[in-house]
Amino acid sequence: MTPQSFRTLPPDGGPLRVLVVGAGGMARVWLRAILASPDTELAGVVDLVPAAAEALVCRAGVPATPTGRDVAALAAATRPDAVVDVTVPEAHLPVTLQALALGLPVLGEKPVAATVPEALRLVAASEAAGELFMVSQSRRYDRHLAAFRDRARLLGRPGILTTDFFRAPRFGGFRETMAHPLLLDMAIHPFDTARWLLDAEPVSVRCEAYNPSWSWYAGDAAATAVFEMTGGIRYVYNGSWCSMGLETSWNGAWRLSGELGSAAWDGEHPPEAELHDADGVPLADGEAGQAACGPEGVAGALAEFVHALRTGVTPTGEVHANVLSLAMVTAAVASARTDRRVHIGPLLEKALTEALTAATGPEAARLRAWPSVGEALAVTPRGLHRAG
């Protein structure tokens, strides 16, 4: 299936005027990236608490920036080219629906939405509006990760990818009362990265979540998930948010084994690889240098968003390509709760039914027109169900 087309902006236009929605902690990160880029200009900041938006622009050194509590009103006053949504996940659906209805492309923080049905509604809404909706998976924009992916391409057919993630953050607040803080708040980063590294999609998952006796979290702060990916590949995630000492990088520690060798990345430094020829003879040590890479983190996501709008080139985080990252999280939580393997295909079909029940207007019409969830997301049936 061809990538979804979207409206583009003139390639020779001035800086992209961006309206930021949300004035929380991540908004400060995004404002720094927007103000630092020669390709973007801050048009305004929206927040339900006007004082929070005013405080944000003052801290950023741009106190004259227009602020308000209503997206439509501030958009009419400032005439932005696009919206950057950094609200809480529960607000992603209404904010993105409103922006798309106003004819504004959206770059949103992960996850795409709070639930998979809401995510499917946003896919349909972007199609109906003909506007780009891109989800920022900012950890993809890392030069060492790019080098790791390059080395992975030399290993032949992949077989096993693993991520070990062990940290001990004391956040306070809502994370320490969530039922599944690690899976719901953090795991989408490595799950999305695994899809990107392997160029493969999830088929099913078996996950166990638990809480060590010393944990300061109310919910399960640790989990082990084994995903079956297309091509028979296995992806194993083993993580904890209450493991003090010898902590891994925030990116985790990665290892990929393929038919011609293995590659490893500690999440912070250049990766390394050991390769063999078809007869098992060791080749060069395979140490990888830094791959060519543009801006990193949220600046990388912002740069790709602008490039997409100027050129029409579909970005890696376009909403159709992002839903399955959220589906991996949802399936892992469901597996942990039910103590059984969860298959992605039925999960998506159930989500489509729920999306159709809740959707209205143009998005509902688009959902009804989909031949299947897999085709709508440009995923082959093999990417949703166990082969054979």
Side-chain angles (χ1 to χ4, degrees):
M1 187 174 182
T2 57
Q4 177 68 22
S5 61
F6 50 86
R7 182 177 64 89
T8 58
L9 300 174
D12 56 351
L16 191 78
R17 289 179 47 77
V18 174
L19 183 66
V20 173
V21 183
M26 278 304 298
R28 295 196 291 272
V29 177
W30 280 99
L31 252 64
R32 284 197 296 270
I34 291 166
L35 294 172
S37 171
D39 299 320
T40 54
E41 177 181 298
L42 182 62
V45 176
V46 175
D47 195 273
L48 291 176
V49 180
E54 294 166 5
L56 178 65
V57 298
C58 286
R59 282 196 300 268
V62 285
T65 301
T67 61
R69 68 184 316 274
D70 181 76
V71 173
L74 199 57
T78 61
R79 302 181 63 82
D81 298 309
V83 162
V84 170
D85 178 12
V86 288
T87 59
V88 296
E90 291 74 18
H92 289 183
L93 177 70
V95 168
T96 305
L97 286 178
Q98 184 178 25
L100 293 172
L102 292 171
L104 294 171
V106 178
L107 174 57
E109 260 290 344
K110 65 83 187 169
V112 52
T115 66
V116 177
E118 290 184 358
L120 295 180
R121 290 179 61 187
L122 291 179
V123 172
S126 72
E127 291 181 3
E131 298 289 348
L132 174 62
F133 175 30
M134 172 182 163
V135 182
S136 169
Q137 296 286 169
S138 58
R139 291 172 189 249
R140 285 192 182 191
Y141 304 92
D142 183 294
R143 65 188 184 280
H144 299 316
L145 176 60
F148 184 48
R149 191 173 191 247
D150 288 346
R151 303 310 289 178
R153 297 297 181 266
L154 303 177
L155 302 179
R157 291 172 294 181
I160 306 167
L161 176 67
T162 65
T163 307
D164 286 328
F165 177 84
F166 293 97
R167 305 282 303 186
R170 293 180 178 269
F171 296 108
F174 71 94
R175 290 180 182 87
E176 295 191 3
T177 62
M178 294 171 66
H180 293 276
L182 179 71
L183 289 173
L184 289 174
D185 195 58
M186 187 65 193
I188 194 168
H189 289 298
F191 291 0
D192 177 78
T193 299
R195 292 179 58 220
W196 184 70
L197 284 171
L198 296 170
D199 193 21
E201 298 298 1
V203 175
S204 65
V205 63
R206 182 71 171 85
C207 179
E208 292 188 7
Y210 53 96
N211 208 27
S213 60
W214 65 83
S215 172
W216 49 92
Y217 292 85
D220 290 336
T224 299
V226 180
F227 287 91
E228 178 187 352
M229 309 293 286
T230 47
I233 307 166
R234 293 302 189 271
Y235 170 56
V236 181
Y237 173 80
N238 189 30
S240 167
W241 249 356
C242 57
S243 292
M244 295 175 285
L246 301 178
E247 294 185 7
T248 64
S249 159
W250 275 101
N251 290 317
W254 295 75
R255 179 187 173 94
L256 174 62
S257 294
E259 63 180 328
L260 300 177
S262 297
W265 180 47
D266 67 0
E268 293 182 354
H269 304 98
E272 58 182 359
E274 183 176 314
L275 308 177
H276 296 75
D277 65 16
D279 296 321
V281 178
L283 300 175
D285 61 14
E287 185 175 347
Q290 293 183 3
C293 186
E296 297 187 278
V298 298
L302 182 65
E304 187 170 11
F305 181 65
V306 175
H307 181 261
L309 289 174
R310 297 297 190 198
T311 65
V313 174
T314 303
T316 59
E318 198 273 334
V319 63
H320 291 74
N322 187 259
V323 172
L324 285 176
S325 295
L326 177 60
M328 290 176 76
V329 175
T330 303
V333 171
S335 175
R337 285 174 173 166
T338 61
D339 193 27
R340 64 179 178 84
R341 180 182 299 276
V342 172
H343 291 266
I344 302 297
L347 182 150
L348 289 175
E349 294 296 341
K350 181 175 183 291
L352 177 58
T353 299
E354 294 179 15
L356 280 166
T357 299
T360 59
E363 64 173 286
R366 291 298 302 178
L367 288 169
R368 287 193 295 269
W370 286 358
S372 70
V373 177
E375 290 182 76
L377 300 181
V379 179
T380 64
R382 190 180 174 199
L384 299 178
H385 303 282
R386 180 186 296 273

